[in-house]
């Protein structure tokens, strides 16, 4: 009789321990990620950057020819038209360099979510750059930028719909045997492969981006400081991200968790 009772109790304990805990839906606290740029092959970075830049500049020239012709004819000034082309080329080149060349990207970039009163304060800060922030309303699915004037007073802005990044030809591969514990959460590896538009030249053919992520299923939330792919956040919550792109090869963007006090 005693043996039967002991076995029954053991079965109850095993049954209880095998039941998954309820996933965390964050309502309080904060979560921060720091981005590091890891150069793996500088020559490959420079060569692929030059290749992609030439495509962007060619696209810029082709898209501006018609406008420049109209300016030149209406003002009877070929010099004005040529100067306009040069200015547009320089603007495209500068924007592409700051956005895509790892040697010129923001340093010590930190992205933070802070939860308060049912809202999310998102902060994007980088060394030597002006910080950016906004408020996300998860219930109404809106985002409102926080813009300050010269006196550091917040300028009232209207909320707009929160948009996730569009996904095209994406593929998610799970590696559930590749695991690690991050800040107390059990994580496993996934690979997201996706084709995205070229920055500042969205009409060009899409380029493949890869995201190696360690994700947990112990947190459920459709907003994340780094990842804005709904297809990912509906299933997992990333706590470590390594991003690469075929646009500029030879380097990685590594996002690591620096703070987490979610409740």
């Amino acid at each position: 009789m005693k043996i039967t009772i002991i076995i029954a109790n053991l079965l109850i304990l095993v049954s209880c321990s095998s039941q998954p805990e309820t996933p965390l839906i964050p309502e309080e606290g904060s979560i921060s990620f720091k981005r590091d740029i890891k150069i793996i092959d500088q020559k490959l970075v420079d060569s692929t950057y030059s290749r992609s830049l030439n495509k962007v500049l060619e696209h810029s020239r082709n898209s501006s020819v018609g406008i420049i012709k109209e300016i030149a004819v209406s003002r009877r000034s070929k010099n004005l038209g040529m100067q306009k082309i040069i200015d547009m080329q320089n603007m495209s080149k500068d924007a592409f360099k700051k956005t895509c060349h790892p040697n010129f990207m923001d340093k010590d970039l930190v992205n933070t979510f802070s939860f308060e009163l049912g809202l999310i304060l998102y902060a994007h800060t980088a060394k030597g750059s002006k910080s950016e922030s906004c408020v996300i309303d998860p219930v109404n699915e809106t985002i409102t930028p926080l813009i300050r004037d010269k006196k550091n007073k917040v300028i009232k802005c209207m909320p707009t719909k929160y948009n996730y990044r569009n996904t095209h030809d994406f593929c998610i591969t799970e590696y559930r045997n590749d695991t690690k514990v991050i800040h107390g959460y059990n994580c496993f590896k996934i690979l997201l492969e996706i084709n995205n538009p070229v920055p500042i030249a969205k009409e060009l053919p899409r380029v493949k981006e890869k995201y190696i992520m360690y994700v947990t299923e112990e947190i459920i939330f459709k907003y994340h400081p780094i990842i804005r792919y709904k297809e990912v956040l509906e299933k997992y919550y990333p706590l470590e991200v390594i991003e690469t792109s075929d646009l500029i090869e030879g380097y990685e963007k590594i996002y690591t968790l620096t703070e987490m006090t979610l409740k």
Side-chain angles (χ1 to χ4, degrees), residues 22-251:
T22 303
L24 172 67
I25 301 176
E27 295 181 350
E28 299 179 13
S30 63
I31 181 171
S32 296
F33 289 85
K34 180 184 177 183
R35 186 190 73 186
D36 292 304
I37 304 295
K38 181 181 179 181
I39 305 294
I40 299 170
D41 186 335
Q42 186 66 56
K43 289 184 178 179
L44 184 58
V45 168
D46 294 337
S47 63
T48 52
Y49 172 78
S50 297
R51 178 194 66 196
S52 297
L53 176 62
N54 289 334
K55 291 181 180 179
V56 169
L57 294 179
E58 182 181 0
H59 171 265
S60 177
R61 283 192 297 270
N62 293 338
S63 61
S64 61
V65 166
I67 299 174
I68 301 307
K69 283 182 178 179
E70 291 181 9
I71 294 176
V73 170
S74 63
R75 300 189 183 184
R76 300 178 182 277
S77 172
K78 291 184 178 181
N79 291 336
L80 178 62
M82 290 303 298
Q83 186 59 50
K84 191 73 174 178
I85 291 177
I86 293 171
D87 290 343
M88 292 180 69
Q89 291 278 288
N90 288 336
M91 288 176 62
S92 296
K93 186 175 181 179
D94 187 56
F96 189 73
K97 180 177 72 173
K98 291 180 178 179
T99 304
C100 299
H101 198 300
N103 297 115
F104 297 94
M105 290 180 180
D106 289 334
K107 301 295 188 293
D108 298 328
L109 180 67
V110 177
N111 292 295
T112 302
F113 269 8
S114 299
F115 295 78
E116 188 174 346
L117 300 176
L119 301 175
I120 306 168
L121 174 62
Y122 169 71
H124 171 101
T125 59
K127 184 177 181 180
S129 299
K130 189 176 181 180
S131 63
E132 301 175 9
S133 57
C134 60
V135 174
I136 299 172
D137 184 341
V139 174
N140 296 308
E141 299 183 343
T142 61
I143 183 169
T144 307
L146 294 179
I147 302 174
R148 298 183 181 274
D149 60 18
K150 293 181 180 180
K151 296 182 179 179
N152 204 34
K153 292 184 178 180
V154 176
I155 299 173
K156 187 176 181 180
C157 298
M158 294 297 295
T160 58
K161 181 176 175 55
Y162 183 92
N163 291 317
Y164 294 92
R165 294 188 67 180
N166 291 326
T167 50
H168 295 269
D169 304 324
F170 77 96
C171 175
I172 297 176
T173 306
E174 294 183 348
Y175 301 88
R176 287 185 174 266
N177 291 330
D178 189 340
T179 63
K180 62 169 66 176
V181 176
I182 301 176
H183 218 283
Y185 289 91
N186 296 309
C187 300
F188 61 90
K189 177 181 172 181
I190 68 168
L191 170 63
L192 169 66
E193 298 176 276
I194 189 167
N195 293 322
N196 273 327
V198 176
I200 78 167
K202 299 187 184 300
E203 294 79 7
L204 289 176
R206 294 174 178 271
V207 295
K208 177 171 284 188
E209 295 179 355
K210 294 181 180 180
Y211 297 82
I212 297 173
M213 295 182 271
Y214 280 89
V215 300
T216 183
E217 294 173 313
E218 296 171 3
I219 299 174
I220 294 180
F221 201 57
K222 59 183 178 180
Y223 299 95
H224 191 277
I226 307 298
I227 300 300
R228 293 183 67 168
Y229 295 112
K230 194 172 185 179
E231 289 79 1
V232 172
L233 297 176
E234 285 178 338
K235 299 176 67 177
Y236 328 98
Y237 204 75
L239 296 183
E240 183 176 300
V241 180
I242 299 176
E243 176 186 352
T244 59
S245 172
D246 287 352
L247 183 66
I248 314 295
E249 301 176 55
Y251 83 101

